[in-house]
Amino acid sequence: MIVDDSNMIRSRITRLVQNGMIGQVHVVAQAANGVEALALATRHRPELVTMDLTMPEMDGVECITKLLQMMPKTNILVVSALTDKATAIAALRQGARGFVNKPFSDDELRMALLELMDAT
């Protein structure tokens, strides 16, 4: 599942996944904010989530906390433009398992997702 308020980022990650660059991963849902992500997660039960941190209605850190309370085995990769290390650390402390800075190359995202999948 891809969670990002940027339609362009959601489309880019979807294209990368659909091109088969990340193995047998499929996009089961896309959400533009944390509230939408939680609703979609209950329906689709994603194993892997890319999560932006700065979003309307519910930010990524709060969404990570609630998502992992519902589904503790979900792997979450933060994909964010925030350069604030404290926020990145907060996301990792809430249970995110990786972090990729925006802007990112296709190869950087692919490697981060593959590492996350290998770690499970």
Side-chain angles (χ1 to χ4, degrees), residues 49-54 60-61 64 75-93 95-104 108-109 111-113 115-116:
V49 175
T50 64
M51 178 77 67
D52 189 13
L53 292 180
T54 306
V61 173
I64 290 167
N75 293 305
I76 299 174
L77 175 68
V78 173
V79 180
S80 177
L82 282 179
T83 57
D84 172 18
K85 289 187 179 185
T87 305
I89 290 169
L92 294 170
R93 284 189 176 152
R97 298 192 175 138
F99 195 99
V100 172
N101 283 315
K102 293 178 187 172
F104 55 85
E108 288 171 326
L109 183 64
M111 292 304 294
L113 288 169
E115 285 177 18
L116 198 63

PDB file of all heavy atoms in Angstrom, residues 49-54 60-61 64 75-93 95-104 108-109 111-113 115-116:
ATOM      1  N   VAL A  49       4.136  -1.277   3.368  1.00  0.00           N
ATOM      2  CA  VAL A  49       3.552   0.056   3.192  1.00  0.00           C
ATOM      3  C   VAL A  49       4.666   1.067   2.987  1.00  0.00           C
ATOM      4  O   VAL A  49       5.651   1.071   3.735  1.00  0.00           O
ATOM      5  CB  VAL A  49       2.716   0.466   4.428  1.00  0.00           C
ATOM      6  CG1 VAL A  49       2.217   1.901   4.308  1.00  0.00           C
ATOM      7  CG2 VAL A  49       1.547  -0.491   4.637  1.00  0.00           C
ATOM      8  N   THR A  50       4.529   1.929   1.953  1.00  0.00           N
ATOM      9  CA  THR A  50       5.395   3.102   1.872  1.00  0.00           C
ATOM     10  C   THR A  50       4.590   4.247   2.476  1.00  0.00           C
ATOM     11  O   THR A  50       3.411   4.422   2.159  1.00  0.00           O
ATOM     12  CB  THR A  50       5.812   3.437   0.426  1.00  0.00           C
ATOM     13  OG1 THR A  50       4.670   3.789  -0.342  1.00  0.00           O
ATOM     14  CG2 THR A  50       6.562   2.271  -0.203  1.00  0.00           C
ATOM     15  N   MET A  51       5.222   5.026   3.354  1.00  0.00           N
ATOM     16  CA  MET A  51       4.489   6.021   4.141  1.00  0.00           C
ATOM     17  C   MET A  51       5.176   7.372   4.104  1.00  0.00           C
ATOM     18  O   MET A  51       6.329   7.496   4.528  1.00  0.00           O
ATOM     19  CB  MET A  51       4.415   5.531   5.596  1.00  0.00           C
ATOM     20  CG  MET A  51       3.737   6.463   6.580  1.00  0.00           C
ATOM     21  SD  MET A  51       1.947   6.449   6.454  1.00  0.00           S
ATOM     22  CE  MET A  51       1.579   4.777   7.004  1.00  0.00           C
ATOM     23  N   ASP A  52       4.463   8.383   3.617  1.00  0.00           N
ATOM     24  CA  ASP A  52       4.913   9.767   3.734  1.00  0.00           C
ATOM     25  C   ASP A  52       4.697  10.204   5.180  1.00  0.00           C
ATOM     26  O   ASP A  52       3.886   9.622   5.899  1.00  0.00           O
ATOM     27  CB  ASP A  52       4.092  10.634   2.769  1.00  0.00           C
ATOM     28  CG  ASP A  52       4.625  12.044   2.641  1.00  0.00           C
ATOM     29  OD1 ASP A  52       5.762  12.328   3.092  1.00  0.00           O
ATOM     30  OD2 ASP A  52       3.893  12.882   2.064  1.00  0.00           O
ATOM     31  N   LEU A  53       5.413  11.222   5.608  1.00  0.00           N
ATOM     32  CA  LEU A  53       5.229  11.690   6.987  1.00  0.00           C
ATOM     33  C   LEU A  53       4.340  12.920   7.071  1.00  0.00           C
ATOM     34  O   LEU A  53       3.568  13.073   8.005  1.00  0.00           O
ATOM     35  CB  LEU A  53       6.586  11.993   7.637  1.00  0.00           C
ATOM     36  CG  LEU A  53       7.457  10.765   7.896  1.00  0.00           C
ATOM     37  CD1 LEU A  53       8.772  11.184   8.549  1.00  0.00           C
ATOM     38  CD2 LEU A  53       6.737   9.745   8.753  1.00  0.00           C
ATOM     39  N   THR A  54       4.459  13.822   6.098  1.00  0.00           N
ATOM     40  CA  THR A  54       3.697  15.064   6.146  1.00  0.00           C
ATOM     41  C   THR A  54       2.474  14.937   5.242  1.00  0.00           C
ATOM     42  O   THR A  54       2.602  14.969   4.017  1.00  0.00           O
ATOM     43  CB  THR A  54       4.572  16.244   5.686  1.00  0.00           C
ATOM     44  OG1 THR A  54       5.765  16.255   6.458  1.00  0.00           O
ATOM     45  CG2 THR A  54       3.843  17.559   5.847  1.00  0.00           C
ATOM     46  N   GLY A  60       2.105  10.895   9.076  1.00  0.00           N
ATOM     47  CA  GLY A  60       2.649   9.559   8.937  1.00  0.00           C
ATOM     48  C   GLY A  60       3.045   8.914  10.256  1.00  0.00           C
ATOM     49  O   GLY A  60       2.847   7.708  10.438  1.00  0.00           O
ATOM     50  N   VAL A  61       3.582   9.697  11.195  1.00  0.00           N
ATOM     51  CA  VAL A  61       4.003   9.111  12.475  1.00  0.00           C
ATOM     52  C   VAL A  61       2.790   8.557  13.223  1.00  0.00           C
ATOM     53  O   VAL A  61       2.825   7.429  13.723  1.00  0.00           O
ATOM     54  CB  VAL A  61       4.770  10.153  13.329  1.00  0.00           C
ATOM     55  CG1 VAL A  61       5.059   9.596  14.717  1.00  0.00           C
ATOM     56  CG2 VAL A  61       6.078  10.555  12.641  1.00  0.00           C
ATOM     57  N   ILE A  64       1.566   5.448  11.403  1.00  0.00           N
ATOM     58  CA  ILE A  64       2.417   4.285  11.671  1.00  0.00           C
ATOM     59  C   ILE A  64       2.031   3.652  13.004  1.00  0.00           C
ATOM     60  O   ILE A  64       1.869   2.432  13.113  1.00  0.00           O
ATOM     61  CB  ILE A  64       3.913   4.698  11.665  1.00  0.00           C
ATOM     62  CG1 ILE A  64       4.358   5.045  10.241  1.00  0.00           C
ATOM     63  CG2 ILE A  64       4.787   3.591  12.262  1.00  0.00           C
ATOM     64  CD1 ILE A  64       5.703   5.747  10.181  1.00  0.00           C
ATOM     65  N   ASN A  75       5.266  -4.211   7.383  1.00  0.00           N
ATOM     66  CA  ASN A  75       6.561  -3.559   7.158  1.00  0.00           C
ATOM     67  C   ASN A  75       6.315  -2.176   6.572  1.00  0.00           C
ATOM     68  O   ASN A  75       5.626  -2.056   5.553  1.00  0.00           O
ATOM     69  CB  ASN A  75       7.406  -4.378   6.188  1.00  0.00           C
ATOM     70  CG  ASN A  75       7.812  -5.681   6.786  1.00  0.00           C
ATOM     71  OD1 ASN A  75       8.398  -5.720   7.862  1.00  0.00           O
ATOM     72  ND2 ASN A  75       7.480  -6.778   6.126  1.00  0.00           N
ATOM     73  N   ILE A  76       6.887  -1.170   7.212  1.00  0.00           N
ATOM     74  CA  ILE A  76       6.654   0.207   6.773  1.00  0.00           C
ATOM     75  C   ILE A  76       7.971   0.873   6.407  1.00  0.00           C
ATOM     76  O   ILE A  76       8.910   0.899   7.194  1.00  0.00           O
ATOM     77  CB  ILE A  76       5.943   1.023   7.866  1.00  0.00           C
ATOM     78  CG1 ILE A  76       4.586   0.388   8.180  1.00  0.00           C
ATOM     79  CG2 ILE A  76       5.776   2.480   7.411  1.00  0.00           C
ATOM     80  CD1 ILE A  76       3.853   1.026   9.339  1.00  0.00           C
ATOM     81  N   LEU A  77       7.998   1.394   5.180  1.00  0.00           N
ATOM     82  CA  LEU A  77       9.125   2.185   4.692  1.00  0.00           C
ATOM     83  C   LEU A  77       8.669   3.631   4.608  1.00  0.00           C
ATOM     84  O   LEU A  77       7.726   3.941   3.887  1.00  0.00           O
ATOM     85  CB  LEU A  77       9.574   1.702   3.305  1.00  0.00           C
ATOM     86  CG  LEU A  77      10.677   2.530   2.651  1.00  0.00           C
ATOM     87  CD1 LEU A  77      11.995   2.362   3.410  1.00  0.00           C
ATOM     88  CD2 LEU A  77      10.850   2.128   1.190  1.00  0.00           C
ATOM     89  N   VAL A  78       9.324   4.511   5.356  1.00  0.00           N
ATOM     90  CA  VAL A  78       9.005   5.933   5.288  1.00  0.00           C
ATOM     91  C   VAL A  78       9.671   6.519   4.053  1.00  0.00           C
ATOM     92  O   VAL A  78      10.856   6.285   3.805  1.00  0.00           O
ATOM     93  CB  VAL A  78       9.482   6.670   6.559  1.00  0.00           C
ATOM     94  CG1 VAL A  78       9.308   8.177   6.404  1.00  0.00           C
ATOM     95  CG2 VAL A  78       8.732   6.159   7.773  1.00  0.00           C
ATOM     96  N   VAL A  79       8.898   7.265   3.269  1.00  0.00           N
ATOM     97  CA  VAL A  79       9.399   7.962   2.086  1.00  0.00           C
ATOM     98  C   VAL A  79       9.026   9.424   2.280  1.00  0.00           C
ATOM     99  O   VAL A  79       7.861   9.795   2.157  1.00  0.00           O
ATOM    100  CB  VAL A  79       8.774   7.407   0.792  1.00  0.00           C
ATOM    101  CG1 VAL A  79       9.313   8.144  -0.419  1.00  0.00           C
ATOM    102  CG2 VAL A  79       9.037   5.904   0.671  1.00  0.00           C
ATOM    103  N   SER A  80      10.006  10.259   2.650  1.00  0.00           N
ATOM    104  CA  SER A  80       9.665  11.620   3.066  1.00  0.00           C
ATOM    105  C   SER A  80      10.712  12.631   2.629  1.00  0.00           C
ATOM    106  O   SER A  80      11.896  12.303   2.509  1.00  0.00           O
ATOM    107  CB  SER A  80       9.525  11.654   4.588  1.00  0.00           C
ATOM    108  OG  SER A  80       9.264  12.962   5.033  1.00  0.00           O
ATOM    109  N   ALA A  81      10.256  13.853   2.441  1.00  0.00           N
ATOM    110  CA  ALA A  81      11.158  14.963   2.119  1.00  0.00           C
ATOM    111  C   ALA A  81      11.659  15.653   3.382  1.00  0.00           C
ATOM    112  O   ALA A  81      12.496  16.549   3.303  1.00  0.00           O
ATOM    113  CB  ALA A  81      10.449  15.976   1.234  1.00  0.00           C
ATOM    114  N   LEU A  82      11.151  15.236   4.530  1.00  0.00           N
ATOM    115  CA  LEU A  82      11.572  15.884   5.772  1.00  0.00           C
ATOM    116  C   LEU A  82      13.053  15.639   6.022  1.00  0.00           C
ATOM    117  O   LEU A  82      13.522  14.506   5.957  1.00  0.00           O
ATOM    118  CB  LEU A  82      10.783  15.334   6.961  1.00  0.00           C
ATOM    119  CG  LEU A  82       9.370  15.848   7.132  1.00  0.00           C
ATOM    120  CD1 LEU A  82       8.726  15.195   8.339  1.00  0.00           C
ATOM    121  CD2 LEU A  82       9.359  17.355   7.291  1.00  0.00           C
ATOM    122  N   THR A  83      13.762  16.708   6.287  1.00  0.00           N
ATOM    123  CA  THR A  83      15.180  16.559   6.611  1.00  0.00           C
ATOM    124  C   THR A  83      15.384  16.628   8.118  1.00  0.00           C
ATOM    125  O   THR A  83      16.503  16.540   8.595  1.00  0.00           O
ATOM    126  CB  THR A  83      16.004  17.646   5.919  1.00  0.00           C
ATOM    127  OG1 THR A  83      15.507  18.924   6.304  1.00  0.00           O
ATOM    128  CG2 THR A  83      15.951  17.486   4.409  1.00  0.00           C
ATOM    129  N   ASP A  84      14.292  16.782   8.844  1.00  0.00           N
ATOM    130  CA  ASP A  84      14.327  16.842  10.300  1.00  0.00           C
ATOM    131  C   ASP A  84      14.607  15.437  10.858  1.00  0.00           C
ATOM    132  O   ASP A  84      13.756  14.554  10.775  1.00  0.00           O
ATOM    133  CB  ASP A  84      12.984  17.364  10.792  1.00  0.00           C
ATOM    134  CG  ASP A  84      12.834  17.297  12.286  1.00  0.00           C
ATOM    135  OD1 ASP A  84      13.847  17.182  12.994  1.00  0.00           O
ATOM    136  OD2 ASP A  84      11.684  17.351  12.741  1.00  0.00           O
ATOM    137  N   LYS A  85      15.786  15.263  11.391  1.00  0.00           N
ATOM    138  CA  LYS A  85      16.161  13.938  11.882  1.00  0.00           C
ATOM    139  C   LYS A  85      15.287  13.480  13.046  1.00  0.00           C
ATOM    140  O   LYS A  85      15.034  12.291  13.196  1.00  0.00           O
ATOM    141  CB  LYS A  85      17.636  13.932  12.300  1.00  0.00           C
ATOM    142  CG  LYS A  85      18.561  14.005  11.117  1.00  0.00           C
ATOM    143  CD  LYS A  85      19.993  13.829  11.529  1.00  0.00           C
ATOM    144  CE  LYS A  85      20.848  13.891  10.277  1.00  0.00           C
ATOM    145  NZ  LYS A  85      22.234  13.625  10.515  1.00  0.00           N
ATOM    146  N   ALA A  86      14.808  14.411  13.862  1.00  0.00           N
ATOM    147  CA  ALA A  86      13.970  14.027  15.006  1.00  0.00           C
ATOM    148  C   ALA A  86      12.689  13.356  14.534  1.00  0.00           C
ATOM    149  O   ALA A  86      12.241  12.373  15.126  1.00  0.00           O
ATOM    150  CB  ALA A  86      13.655  15.255  15.853  1.00  0.00           C
ATOM    151  N   THR A  87      12.093  13.856  13.470  1.00  0.00           N
ATOM    152  CA  THR A  87      10.866  13.256  12.951  1.00  0.00           C
ATOM    153  C   THR A  87      11.157  11.884  12.366  1.00  0.00           C
ATOM    154  O   THR A  87      10.386  10.937  12.554  1.00  0.00           O
ATOM    155  CB  THR A  87      10.226  14.168  11.890  1.00  0.00           C
ATOM    156  OG1 THR A  87      10.018  15.455  12.465  1.00  0.00           O
ATOM    157  CG2 THR A  87       8.913  13.607  11.401  1.00  0.00           C
ATOM    158  N   ALA A  88      12.256  11.764  11.660  1.00  0.00           N
ATOM    159  CA  ALA A  88      12.635  10.460  11.104  1.00  0.00           C
ATOM    160  C   ALA A  88      12.852   9.451  12.227  1.00  0.00           C
ATOM    161  O   ALA A  88      12.392   8.307  12.142  1.00  0.00           O
ATOM    162  CB  ALA A  88      13.896  10.599  10.257  1.00  0.00           C
ATOM    163  N   ILE A  89      13.526   9.869  13.266  1.00  0.00           N
ATOM    164  CA  ILE A  89      13.767   8.976  14.407  1.00  0.00           C
ATOM    165  C   ILE A  89      12.441   8.606  15.072  1.00  0.00           C
ATOM    166  O   ILE A  89      12.223   7.452  15.449  1.00  0.00           O
ATOM    167  CB  ILE A  89      14.748   9.625  15.407  1.00  0.00           C
ATOM    168  CG1 ILE A  89      16.147   9.679  14.773  1.00  0.00           C
ATOM    169  CG2 ILE A  89      14.770   8.875  16.730  1.00  0.00           C
ATOM    170  CD1 ILE A  89      17.149  10.514  15.525  1.00  0.00           C
ATOM    171  N   ALA A  90      11.532   9.576  15.191  1.00  0.00           N
ATOM    172  CA  ALA A  90      10.212   9.288  15.784  1.00  0.00           C
ATOM    173  C   ALA A  90       9.476   8.233  14.967  1.00  0.00           C
ATOM    174  O   ALA A  90       8.857   7.330  15.524  1.00  0.00           O
ATOM    175  CB  ALA A  90       9.385  10.567  15.870  1.00  0.00           C
ATOM    176  N   ALA A  91       9.552   8.340  13.644  1.00  0.00           N
ATOM    177  CA  ALA A  91       8.890   7.356  12.783  1.00  0.00           C
ATOM    178  C   ALA A  91       9.491   5.974  12.974  1.00  0.00           C
ATOM    179  O   ALA A  91       8.778   4.973  13.060  1.00  0.00           O
ATOM    180  CB  ALA A  91       8.989   7.782  11.322  1.00  0.00           C
ATOM    181  N   LEU A  92      10.805   5.909  13.067  1.00  0.00           N
ATOM    182  CA  LEU A  92      11.461   4.614  13.261  1.00  0.00           C
ATOM    183  C   LEU A  92      11.141   4.048  14.640  1.00  0.00           C
ATOM    184  O   LEU A  92      10.950   2.842  14.801  1.00  0.00           O
ATOM    185  CB  LEU A  92      12.964   4.747  13.049  1.00  0.00           C
ATOM    186  CG  LEU A  92      13.371   5.102  11.607  1.00  0.00           C
ATOM    187  CD1 LEU A  92      14.843   5.448  11.520  1.00  0.00           C
ATOM    188  CD2 LEU A  92      13.031   3.969  10.645  1.00  0.00           C
ATOM    189  N   ARG A  93      11.066   4.908  15.638  1.00  0.00           N
ATOM    190  CA  ARG A  93      10.724   4.434  16.987  1.00  0.00           C
ATOM    191  C   ARG A  93       9.287   3.921  17.062  1.00  0.00           C
ATOM    192  O   ARG A  93       8.966   3.071  17.887  1.00  0.00           O
ATOM    193  CB  ARG A  93      10.926   5.557  18.011  1.00  0.00           C
ATOM    194  CG  ARG A  93      12.371   5.781  18.329  1.00  0.00           C
ATOM    195  CD  ARG A  93      12.552   6.717  19.482  1.00  0.00           C
ATOM    196  NE  ARG A  93      13.974   6.822  19.797  1.00  0.00           N
ATOM    197  CZ  ARG A  93      14.543   7.855  20.331  1.00  0.00           C
ATOM    198  NH1 ARG A  93      13.834   8.920  20.647  1.00  0.00           N
ATOM    199  NH2 ARG A  93      15.835   7.870  20.578  1.00  0.00           N
ATOM    200  N   GLY A  95       7.961   2.236  14.779  1.00  0.00           N
ATOM    201  CA  GLY A  95       7.911   0.921  14.158  1.00  0.00           C
ATOM    202  C   GLY A  95       8.232   0.872  12.679  1.00  0.00           C
ATOM    203  O   GLY A  95       8.256  -0.214  12.099  1.00  0.00           O
ATOM    204  N   ALA A  96       8.448   2.035  12.041  1.00  0.00           N
ATOM    205  CA  ALA A  96       8.871   2.005  10.638  1.00  0.00           C
ATOM    206  C   ALA A  96      10.213   1.285  10.574  1.00  0.00           C
ATOM    207  O   ALA A  96      11.017   1.360  11.501  1.00  0.00           O
ATOM    208  CB  ALA A  96       8.990   3.419  10.085  1.00  0.00           C
ATOM    209  N   ARG A  97      10.433   0.574   9.482  1.00  0.00           N
ATOM    210  CA  ARG A  97      11.651  -0.248   9.394  1.00  0.00           C
ATOM    211  C   ARG A  97      12.664   0.275   8.393  1.00  0.00           C
ATOM    212  O   ARG A  97      13.717  -0.338   8.209  1.00  0.00           O
ATOM    213  CB  ARG A  97      11.265  -1.671   9.070  1.00  0.00           C
ATOM    214  CG  ARG A  97      10.413  -2.233  10.174  1.00  0.00           C
ATOM    215  CD  ARG A  97      10.229  -3.712  10.084  1.00  0.00           C
ATOM    216  NE  ARG A  97       9.496  -4.160  11.258  1.00  0.00           N
ATOM    217  CZ  ARG A  97       8.541  -5.051  11.222  1.00  0.00           C
ATOM    218  NH1 ARG A  97       8.214  -5.619  10.084  1.00  0.00           N
ATOM    219  NH2 ARG A  97       7.919  -5.398  12.321  1.00  0.00           N
ATOM    220  N   GLY A  98      12.372   1.388   7.752  1.00  0.00           N
ATOM    221  CA  GLY A  98      13.312   1.981   6.814  1.00  0.00           C
ATOM    222  C   GLY A  98      12.917   3.404   6.489  1.00  0.00           C
ATOM    223  O   GLY A  98      11.810   3.839   6.814  1.00  0.00           O
ATOM    224  N   PHE A  99      13.837   4.116   5.851  1.00  0.00           N
ATOM    225  CA  PHE A  99      13.599   5.526   5.524  1.00  0.00           C
ATOM    226  C   PHE A  99      14.283   5.842   4.208  1.00  0.00           C
ATOM    227  O   PHE A  99      15.446   5.499   4.022  1.00  0.00           O
ATOM    228  CB  PHE A  99      14.175   6.417   6.632  1.00  0.00           C
ATOM    229  CG  PHE A  99      13.683   7.840   6.585  1.00  0.00           C
ATOM    230  CD1 PHE A  99      12.662   8.251   7.409  1.00  0.00           C
ATOM    231  CD2 PHE A  99      14.252   8.756   5.716  1.00  0.00           C
ATOM    232  CE1 PHE A  99      12.201   9.565   7.371  1.00  0.00           C
ATOM    233  CE2 PHE A  99      13.806  10.068   5.669  1.00  0.00           C
ATOM    234  CZ  PHE A  99      12.771  10.468   6.506  1.00  0.00           C
ATOM    235  N   VAL A 100      13.547   6.472   3.295  1.00  0.00           N
ATOM    236  CA  VAL A 100      14.105   6.950   2.029  1.00  0.00           C
ATOM    237  C   VAL A 100      13.764   8.427   1.913  1.00  0.00           C
ATOM    238  O   VAL A 100      12.610   8.816   2.110  1.00  0.00           O
ATOM    239  CB  VAL A 100      13.507   6.177   0.826  1.00  0.00           C
ATOM    240  CG1 VAL A 100      13.928   6.810  -0.491  1.00  0.00           C
ATOM    241  CG2 VAL A 100      13.933   4.723   0.870  1.00  0.00           C
ATOM    242  N   ASN A 101      14.764   9.244   1.623  1.00  0.00           N
ATOM    243  CA  ASN A 101      14.541  10.673   1.451  1.00  0.00           C
ATOM    244  C   ASN A 101      14.026  10.986   0.063  1.00  0.00           C
ATOM    245  O   ASN A 101      14.474  10.388  -0.915  1.00  0.00           O
ATOM    246  CB  ASN A 101      15.847  11.450   1.661  1.00  0.00           C
ATOM    247  CG  ASN A 101      16.202  11.587   3.109  1.00  0.00           C
ATOM    248  OD1 ASN A 101      15.357  11.911   3.945  1.00  0.00           O
ATOM    249  ND2 ASN A 101      17.461  11.345   3.420  1.00  0.00           N
ATOM    250  N   LYS A 102      13.083  11.936  -0.024  1.00  0.00           N
ATOM    251  CA  LYS A 102      12.656  12.504  -1.301  1.00  0.00           C
ATOM    252  C   LYS A 102      13.580  13.679  -1.604  1.00  0.00           C
ATOM    253  O   LYS A 102      13.914  14.415  -0.661  1.00  0.00           O
ATOM    254  CB  LYS A 102      11.224  13.022  -1.229  1.00  0.00           C
ATOM    255  CG  LYS A 102      10.166  11.986  -1.049  1.00  0.00           C
ATOM    256  CD  LYS A 102       8.810  12.683  -0.958  1.00  0.00           C
ATOM    257  CE  LYS A 102       7.694  11.744  -0.614  1.00  0.00           C
ATOM    258  NZ  LYS A 102       6.435  12.458  -0.354  1.00  0.00           N
ATOM    259  N   PRO A 103      13.954  13.927  -2.789  1.00  0.00           N
ATOM    260  CA  PRO A 103      13.684  13.111  -3.960  1.00  0.00           C
ATOM    261  C   PRO A 103      14.541  11.842  -3.930  1.00  0.00           C
ATOM    262  O   PRO A 103      15.637  11.835  -3.364  1.00  0.00           O
ATOM    263  CB  PRO A 103      14.072  14.007  -5.133  1.00  0.00           C
ATOM    264  CG  PRO A 103      15.117  14.921  -4.580  1.00  0.00           C
ATOM    265  CD  PRO A 103      14.757  15.107  -3.132  1.00  0.00           C
ATOM    266  N   PHE A 104      14.042  10.792  -4.541  1.00  0.00           N
ATOM    267  CA  PHE A 104      14.742   9.509  -4.554  1.00  0.00           C
ATOM    268  C   PHE A 104      14.824   9.002  -5.984  1.00  0.00           C
ATOM    269  O   PHE A 104      14.005   9.362  -6.831  1.00  0.00           O
ATOM    270  CB  PHE A 104      14.027   8.487  -3.666  1.00  0.00           C
ATOM    271  CG  PHE A 104      12.575   8.308  -4.024  1.00  0.00           C
ATOM    272  CD1 PHE A 104      12.188   7.435  -5.034  1.00  0.00           C
ATOM    273  CD2 PHE A 104      11.590   9.020  -3.351  1.00  0.00           C
ATOM    274  CE1 PHE A 104      10.850   7.281  -5.369  1.00  0.00           C
ATOM    275  CE2 PHE A 104      10.252   8.874  -3.687  1.00  0.00           C
ATOM    276  CZ  PHE A 104       9.885   8.007  -4.693  1.00  0.00           C
ATOM    277  N   GLU A 108      17.149   3.738  -5.620  1.00  0.00           N
ATOM    278  CA  GLU A 108      17.166   3.905  -4.161  1.00  0.00           C
ATOM    279  C   GLU A 108      15.902   3.313  -3.528  1.00  0.00           C
ATOM    280  O   GLU A 108      15.977   2.614  -2.514  1.00  0.00           O
ATOM    281  CB  GLU A 108      17.275   5.394  -3.790  1.00  0.00           C
ATOM    282  CG  GLU A 108      18.630   5.998  -4.058  1.00  0.00           C
ATOM    283  CD  GLU A 108      18.651   7.503  -3.879  1.00  0.00           C
ATOM    284  OE1 GLU A 108      17.631   8.176  -4.169  1.00  0.00           O
ATOM    285  OE2 GLU A 108      19.701   8.007  -3.448  1.00  0.00           O
ATOM    286  N   LEU A 109      14.758   3.600  -4.129  1.00  0.00           N
ATOM    287  CA  LEU A 109      13.510   3.062  -3.575  1.00  0.00           C
ATOM    288  C   LEU A 109      13.470   1.546  -3.735  1.00  0.00           C
ATOM    289  O   LEU A 109      13.087   0.828  -2.808  1.00  0.00           O
ATOM    290  CB  LEU A 109      12.295   3.699  -4.260  1.00  0.00           C
ATOM    291  CG  LEU A 109      10.954   3.255  -3.697  1.00  0.00           C
ATOM    292  CD1 LEU A 109      10.803   3.692  -2.239  1.00  0.00           C
ATOM    293  CD2 LEU A 109       9.816   3.799  -4.528  1.00  0.00           C
ATOM    294  N   MET A 111      15.955  -0.589  -3.889  1.00  0.00           N
ATOM    295  CA  MET A 111      16.874  -1.221  -2.935  1.00  0.00           C
ATOM    296  C   MET A 111      16.297  -1.195  -1.517  1.00  0.00           C
ATOM    297  O   MET A 111      16.399  -2.177  -0.781  1.00  0.00           O
ATOM    298  CB  MET A 111      18.240  -0.530  -2.971  1.00  0.00           C
ATOM    299  CG  MET A 111      18.992  -0.740  -4.270  1.00  0.00           C
ATOM    300  SD  MET A 111      19.237  -2.492  -4.678  1.00  0.00           S
ATOM    301  CE  MET A 111      20.312  -2.990  -3.359  1.00  0.00           C
ATOM    302  N   ALA A 112      15.697  -0.077  -1.123  1.00  0.00           N
ATOM    303  CA  ALA A 112      15.123   0.028   0.231  1.00  0.00           C
ATOM    304  C   ALA A 112      13.978  -0.976   0.407  1.00  0.00           C
ATOM    305  O   ALA A 112      13.872  -1.621   1.458  1.00  0.00           O
ATOM    306  CB  ALA A 112      14.643   1.450   0.478  1.00  0.00           C
ATOM    307  N   LEU A 113      13.130  -1.106  -0.614  1.00  0.00           N
ATOM    308  CA  LEU A 113      12.020  -2.051  -0.511  1.00  0.00           C
ATOM    309  C   LEU A 113      12.515  -3.495  -0.504  1.00  0.00           C
ATOM    310  O   LEU A 113      12.016  -4.328   0.263  1.00  0.00           O
ATOM    311  CB  LEU A 113      11.026  -1.824  -1.652  1.00  0.00           C
ATOM    312  CG  LEU A 113      10.191  -0.541  -1.537  1.00  0.00           C
ATOM    313  CD1 LEU A 113       9.430  -0.265  -2.822  1.00  0.00           C
ATOM    314  CD2 LEU A 113       9.240  -0.621  -0.348  1.00  0.00           C
ATOM    315  N   GLU A 115      15.443  -4.536   0.577  1.00  0.00           N
ATOM    316  CA  GLU A 115      16.066  -4.766   1.890  1.00  0.00           C
ATOM    317  C   GLU A 115      15.002  -5.032   2.943  1.00  0.00           C
ATOM    318  O   GLU A 115      15.157  -5.906   3.796  1.00  0.00           O
ATOM    319  CB  GLU A 115      16.913  -3.558   2.299  1.00  0.00           C
ATOM    320  CG  GLU A 115      18.221  -3.460   1.558  1.00  0.00           C
ATOM    321  CD  GLU A 115      19.015  -2.220   1.938  1.00  0.00           C
ATOM    322  OE1 GLU A 115      18.730  -1.622   2.983  1.00  0.00           O
ATOM    323  OE2 GLU A 115      19.908  -1.845   1.162  1.00  0.00           O
ATOM    324  N   LEU A 116      13.920  -4.274   2.885  1.00  0.00           N
ATOM    325  CA  LEU A 116      12.839  -4.454   3.851  1.00  0.00           C
ATOM    326  C   LEU A 116      12.207  -5.837   3.707  1.00  0.00           C
ATOM    327  O   LEU A 116      11.925  -6.514   4.691  1.00  0.00           O
ATOM    328  CB  LEU A 116      11.785  -3.370   3.626  1.00  0.00           C
ATOM    329  CG  LEU A 116      10.806  -3.101   4.731  1.00  0.00           C
ATOM    330  CD1 LEU A 116      11.516  -2.593   5.967  1.00  0.00           C
ATOM    331  CD2 LEU A 116       9.780  -2.100   4.272  1.00  0.00           C
TER     332      LEU A 116
END
